[in-house]
Amino acid sequence: MKALFSLTAVVALTAIPTGTASAIPVSIGNPLVNACYEAAVVERADGLSLSQCNQALRREATTSGDARVATLVNRGILRMLRDDSAGALRDFNEALALDPQQPEAWLGKAVESWKAGSDRDALTFANRAIKLGTDKPELAYLTRGLANEGLGNVNAAYADLKRAHALAPQWAEPSAQLARYRVV
């Protein structure tokens, strides 16, 4: 397993780069679904938050609609924060079974794949998230850059890290990764 370069930078799809949410918005009429969403936004991955997501899936998001997909992605984010890779991947995969066009689920899979050392899968999933219009393209490009680096594609890695930095210049992680490069 690869060491995390920054826990909040990679794991939290909801806090990159400025704390703006990429958890999936849901309707106001479902208090447990909304509680799960809010927990993902503020990165509150405690037992209560996870329980609210579980209850939301049982009580409010029982159909195959957007609320279920959103809640699965948001619970996956919480599981990522709790270092529960297997659980996060189950949630992202279930969300994608319901909606294969869900970019944040693809991004979650990219991050988890990179963390597990599967650069080829991380690259594939990050590409998919970018193509589908993820709310966190800077994280997708960063993940793709690190995956490219792991695969020996140094020029592509550098370009992706530069893109991540351009998309979120206030986010320190792309700059820190770029500082490791020496352009000659």
Side-chain angles (χ1 to χ4, degrees):
M1 181 164 117
K2 294 186 179 187
L4 293 179
F5 51 86
S6 172
L7 179 63
T8 57
V10 172
V11 177
L13 299 178
T14 61
I16 315 276
T18 60
T20 57
S22 79
I24 300 174
V26 295
S27 66
I28 293 173
N30 298 318
L32 291 168
V33 169
N34 287 332
C36 182
Y37 165 75
E38 290 297 326
V41 169
V42 299
E43 299 179 32
R44 188 180 58 248
D46 58 12
L48 175 61
S49 297
L50 197 56
S51 175
Q52 289 172 323
C53 292
N54 293 337
Q55 290 177 47
L57 287 166
R58 283 192 304 272
R59 296 180 188 174
E60 295 175 354
T62 58
T63 67
S64 61
D66 291 341
R68 184 162 191 82
V69 172
T71 303
L72 286 165
V73 172
N74 292 332
R75 184 174 71 177
I77 292 167
L78 296 182
R79 287 180 164 171
M80 288 176 73
L81 290 166
R82 294 170 66 97
D83 292 325
D84 177 6
S85 294
L89 285 171
R90 276 192 309 273
D91 284 342
F92 297 139
N93 286 330
E94 187 176 340
L96 289 168
L98 296 170
D99 180 2
Q101 305 300 306
Q102 194 354 275
E104 307 323 316
W106 286 111
L107 182 54
K109 284 182 62 134
V111 170
E112 286 297 327
S113 295
W114 181 82
K115 285 171 40 185
S118 183
D119 292 319
R120 194 160 310 286
D121 286 342
L123 183 66
T124 299
F125 300 147
N127 282 336
R128 185 80 175 169
I130 291 165
K131 181 180 178 186
L132 292 171
T134 178
D135 289 339
K136 292 294 176 193
E138 63 278 6
L139 178 57
Y141 280 103
L142 180 72
T143 304
R144 189 171 87 172
L146 293 169
N148 268 318
E149 183 178 321
L151 293 169
N153 304 328
V154 179
N155 290 336
Y158 183 75
D160 284 338
L161 295 172
K162 292 279 288 182
R163 182 70 188 267
H165 175 70
L167 288 167
Q170 71 281 16
W171 184 27
E173 195 60 44
S175 296
Q177 294 300 322
L178 284 167
R180 298 182 300 108
Y181 284 78
R182 185 171 160 226
V183 178
V184 291

